[in-house]
Amino acid sequence: MNINEFESQYRAAMDETLNELQTAVLLLVQVQRKISEVGSYVHNLSESVEEFISNQKVEKFDEN
């Protein structure tokens, strides 16, 4: 293998590696966004459940 072939293989390998890294970063951003969405959903659900429980306790207290 001569220097030109070596350089060509190196550049092709680097291009592929950088493309894979870019893909991984984009996937990571998508995962972070999804985690944030799920976290918000869980937070909202928790607030709804807490409000419902509180209301049920008030209603039960008012009945007595």
Side-chain angles (χ1 to χ4, degrees), residues 9 25 30 46 64:
Q9 287 181 4
V25 168
Q30 290 176 334
S46 177
N64 294 331

Side-chain angles (χ1 to χ4, degrees), residues 38-53:
V38 171
S40 292
Y41 174 75
V42 169
H43 178 74
N44 292 337
L45 180 60
S46 177
E47 285 183 343
S48 296
V49 169
E50 291 294 330
E51 183 179 343
F52 175 77
I53 291 170

